[in-house]
Amino acid sequence: MKLIIGNKAYSSWSLRGWLAAKQSGLLFEEVVVPLYDDAWDKRREGDEFAPSSGKVPILWDGDAVVWDSLAIIEYLAEKTSRDLFWPADAAARAMARSMAAEMHSSFTALRRKHSMNIRQSFPPVQPDDDVIADLARIMELWAQARARFGGDGEFLFGQFGAADMMFAPVVTRIVTYSLPIARFAAGYMDAVLQHPFMQDWIAAAQEEEWVIEKFELPSTT
């Protein structure tokens, strides 16, 4: 398998797909391509990127190609074991899938105004109202998952899984921009950040030489 991803410092969707590939336990070749560099437009026209119209991540597995992080999660769950990604309990699994889908389609204010930048840590400022609303909904989802299905584990549904992969870039954004959170969320966020896969990703992001200036600002309004 080959997984093509963008800069580890900035590419939130690449992080999700990469976590899924790591969670699968399968061997894969990792190819990092710098986003928006001088060769970006030409690179997007290449055969490897054609199925996704140039978007990352994109997973090639022989003749099979999968793009979009949530699709990659589902593909790898089918290829290996659903239990690696989703809770065994049917009610927990339904909630985890709903949360992953909501993360996939929602929280546009947070994503637009606070882009992922793992290498930065900005002083706190008052977020816009729409960002506060996104954060409130995220805290609500995290609280429900932890209360109903977290059990003795550290993650949303006890063990690290697809829902945590989908929210991992949110965790990094909260840290980067010093965004306000509910008190209970600190322990969950620490568990995500200390996960060995996240530690590997963060360390690699620190080593990258690429800088995208528009993502180096405290926030974008």
Side-chain angles (χ1 to χ4, degrees):
M1 295 195 306
K2 177 189 291 187
L3 181 70
I4 305 173
I5 58 176
N7 311 55
K8 291 187 174 181
Y10 307 116
S11 184
S12 59
W13 292 109
S14 293
L15 171 56
R16 295 176 173 107
W18 184 87
L19 288 173
K22 294 291 285 185
Q23 182 78 348
S24 76
L26 300 172
L27 294 177
F28 66 97
E29 177 187 359
E30 174 187 313
V31 179
V32 182
V33 294
L35 304 177
Y36 312 124
D37 67 350
D38 293 340
W40 178 247
D41 289 336
K42 183 176 181 180
R43 188 186 301 117
R44 294 177 68 186
E45 297 173 357
D47 291 341
E48 285 191 320
F49 288 89
S52 68
S53 297
K55 296 178 181 179
V56 290
I58 182 168
L59 177 70
W60 285 90
D61 183 14
D63 293 334
V65 57
V66 195
W67 62 97
D68 187 285
S69 298
L70 195 52
I72 290 172
I73 287 172
E74 291 291 1
Y75 177 80
L76 292 173
E78 290 181 355
K79 189 176 178 71
T80 56
S81 169
R82 182 181 67 179
D83 293 343
L84 286 172
F85 295 88
W86 302 107
D89 177 79
R93 190 165 62 252
M95 185 175 185
R97 284 188 164 136
S98 297
M99 287 176 61
E102 185 168 347
M103 180 67 251
H104 189 271
S105 62
S106 304
F107 311 117
T108 54
L110 175 63
R111 295 206 298 248
R112 184 178 69 253
K113 297 180 179 181
H114 299 281
S115 300
M116 191 174 92
N117 186 339
I118 284 178
R119 295 189 299 223
Q120 287 284 7
S121 181
F122 299 112
V125 296
Q126 179 62 29
D128 292 343
D129 289 345
D130 52 0
V131 175
I132 290 291
D134 280 353
L135 289 168
R137 175 58 178 165
I138 290 167
M139 294 300 107
E140 178 185 3
L141 290 172
W142 289 1
Q144 289 178 8
R146 291 289 302 145
R148 293 183 61 191
F149 302 113
D152 296 330
E154 297 180 298
F155 298 99
L156 292 175
F157 294 87
Q159 301 302 310
F160 185 73
D164 305 297
M165 297 171 202
M166 292 299 292
F167 282 97
V170 170
V171 172
T172 71
R173 283 177 164 97
I174 290 171
V175 172
T176 295
Y177 299 97
S178 303
L179 297 172
I181 59 170
R183 183 177 300 177
F184 83 88
Y188 168 64
M189 288 175 50
D190 186 62
V192 171
L193 292 170
Q194 294 303 316
H195 191 283
F197 297 161
M198 286 295 293
Q199 287 288 296
D200 289 347
W201 179 279
I202 292 168
Q206 300 296 335
E207 297 297 321
E208 287 181 343
E209 297 180 356
W210 305 301
V211 175
I212 302 177
E213 294 296 339
K214 67 179 180 178
F215 296 147
E216 294 294 325
L217 302 174
S219 63
T220 302
T221 56

